[in-house]
Amino acid sequence: MKVLVTGVAGFIGSNLSRKLIENNIDVIGIDNLSYGVKSQIPSGVKFFQEDIRDKQISGLFDRVDYVFHLAAKNSLIDCENNPAETHDINVNGTKNIFNISINKGVKKVIYAESSAVYEGVEALPSVETTTYPKSIYAKSKMETNTIAQQLFISKGLFATGLRYFNVYGPHQDYRRTIPPVFSAFIIKMLQGERPTIYGDGSKKRDFVYVDDVNDFHLMCMQNKLTDNNIYNIGSGKNYSIKSIYERIKSILNSDIKPIYGENFDFEAQDTLANIDQAKKIGWEPKTSISIGLKKSIDYIKENVI
Ligand SMILES: NC(=O)c1ccc[n+]([C@@H]2O[C@H](COP(=O)([O-])OP(=O)(O)OC[C@H]3O[C@@H](n4cnc5c(N)ncnc54)[C@H](O)[C@@H]3O)[C@@H](O)[C@H]2O)c1
């Protein structure tokens, strides 16, 4: 089997490729390295530094069975500041990947949406049928959903949309303007520096461990029920940012106090996934927050610090 992964140098893409290679699947990887890190791409991946908006990449899709389309501009703050570029990468880039996949006879495109499409919905847990995107990023992700549906009707595209909640685990990039909370808190504390909590720390997030997400990725290739469906990929439990901070502090035996930074109004106060849809096809997240945190800390101690 041959699988093409866009965004292969990123957090989810590099973890997914590792898993695919462990399963003896040939992996072609595309990334323009705008955010991703080349050294994170697992050995065994045939890597091409290319842009998803480029029509010339179609040759890379020859004899590809499945495409995982993960490449995106996904920093909320960068997207707010650059709406035109966000649209170009997230919407036009995705359209290009869908069209090439159709022309090359790819069996299915499994593509990344986001839990951000629920940011304006007050009722929790979020169900796939009720969305209210507010930020530039969320709107761009919602648009990919509309395009997937249109291309199914007009050209027979098979696609599965994954609305990831907060995925965490090894290889999460920490070199960003606003890094993801787990790696940001762990690295700063291990270095004896004060991590920043944006807002007052009361915002709750549904965190899901990357290995559990990969279990679902594999199911998407095998299970026809996932064709042209959308799934929430979360743990179904949420934790406040402050409580995650306290847990990390206690595991690391640290007494470092956080710095409180600006609150971002465009972000949802709380996120929580209803994962009934994903459970219907036999998926269940297995990693508890304490195990996931421990694994993340061990990885950072061994590989980053
Ligand atoms: N990590 C999460 O918790 C989360 C949550 C919701 C949605 N998502 C979505 O899942 C996908 C993967 O997320 P991630 O955390 O691995 O992100 P990431 O930023 O680590 O990886 C994205 C990769 O895409 C690449 N990229 C960006 N623009 C590109 C372009 N024009 N051409 C080619 N490559 C390009 C980047 O260099 C990067 O390596 C994204 O689409 C993201 O929006 C992730």
Side-chain angles (χ1 to χ4, degrees):
M1 194 192 287
K2 195 161 151 187
V3 168
L4 185 143
V5 178
T6 75
V8 72
F11 165 50
I12 300 178
S14 60
N15 277 288
L16 167 64
S17 310
R18 203 164 286 108
K19 185 80 182 176
L20 293 170
I21 284 171
E22 279 167 21
N23 281 272
N24 296 317
I25 294 170
D26 288 345
V27 181
I28 309 270
I30 295 178
D31 203 297
N32 68 355
L33 301 180
S34 53
Y35 286 85
V37 184
K38 197 172 176 189
S39 59
Q40 284 205 152
I41 304 169
S43 60
V45 171
K46 265 197 183 157
F47 174 62
F48 297 88
Q49 185 172 350
E50 298 287 357
D51 197 293
I52 54 164
R53 293 165 288 181
D54 188 347
K55 303 231 172 346
Q56 309 298 326
I57 59 175
S58 69
L60 302 176
F61 290 62
D62 286 340
R63 290 178 299 284
V64 163
D65 295 290
Y66 295 96
V67 169
F68 282 91
H69 172 46
L70 304 172
K73 189 172 181 68
N74 59 7
S75 150
L76 256 77
I77 190 103
D78 288 353
C79 292
E80 287 303 304
N81 293 334
N82 303 288
E85 194 193 20
T86 303
H87 182 87
D88 198 31
I89 297 173
N90 294 3
V91 179
N92 296 340
T94 299
K95 209 185 279 179
N96 191 36
I97 297 296
F98 285 159
N99 277 319
I100 296 175
S101 300
I102 294 166
N103 294 337
K104 291 286 179 175
V106 168
K107 290 181 185 134
K108 184 157 61 175
V109 182
I110 297 126
Y111 71 99
E113 290 193 22
S114 169
S115 62
V117 299
Y118 304 119
E119 61 200 2
V121 182
E122 284 184 10
L124 293 178
S126 302
V127 285
E128 286 86 347
T129 42
T130 311
T131 56
Y132 183 180
K134 284 162 71 182
S135 64
I136 301 286
Y137 167 69
K139 284 178 184 163
S140 74
K141 288 288 183 180
M142 201 63 227
E143 229 177 297
T144 61
N145 177 280
T146 311
I147 295 167
Q149 289 182 33
Q150 285 166 348
L151 286 175
F152 168 62
I153 295 165
S154 62
K155 293 186 182 173
L157 170 75
F158 284 108
T160 305
L162 302 185
R163 292 189 180 149
Y164 302 117
F165 281 65
N166 281 59
V167 187
Y168 72 100
H171 304 282
Q172 200 169 28
D173 194 13
Y174 52 91
R175 286 156 282 216
R176 307 209 167 171
T177 330
I178 300 175
V181 286
F182 275 70
S183 52
F185 290 175
I186 297 167
I187 291 169
K188 287 269 182 186
M189 273 189 223
L190 283 172
Q191 288 172 332
E193 293 170 30
R194 293 176 66 191
T196 302
I197 291 180
Y198 293 91
D200 63 4
S202 65
K203 281 183 183 164
K204 285 186 182 169
R205 291 289 174 265
D206 181 324
F207 294 100
V208 59
Y209 194 66
V210 70
D211 287 353
D212 291 331
V213 176
N214 273 335
D215 289 344
F216 195 80
H217 286 145
L218 295 186
M219 283 182 173
C220 284
M221 294 195 294
Q222 291 148 7
N223 195 324
K224 292 292 283 173
L225 290 176
T226 62
D227 289 1
N228 297 101
N229 259 320
I230 295 155
Y231 295 92
N232 284 343
I233 302 298
S235 64
K237 297 190 179 101
N238 64 7
Y239 299 89
S240 73
I241 302 298
K242 216 173 175 169
S243 77
I244 294 294
Y245 188 95
E246 290 305 323
R247 278 170 184 260
I248 296 173
K249 206 171 114 178
S250 143
I251 298 172
L252 295 180
N253 216 357
S254 161
D255 57 2
I256 290 178
K257 292 193 170 47
I259 298 165
Y260 286 94
E262 178 192 354
N263 181 50
F264 300 114
D265 293 334
F266 51 80
E267 280 186 344
Q269 174 62 29
D270 297 334
T271 68
L272 181 63
N274 174 316
I275 52 173
D276 290 351
Q277 275 282 100
K279 280 183 172 174
K280 273 187 205 157
I281 65 156
W283 179 72
E284 184 95 53
K286 300 184 196 106
T287 313
S288 68
I289 195 85
S290 7
I291 299 288
L293 253 178
K294 193 181 168 318
K295 285 186 177 182
S296 303
I297 290 173
D298 288 348
Y299 171 81
I300 288 174
K301 276 184 176 166
E302 279 165 32
N303 297 281
V304 181
I305 302 291

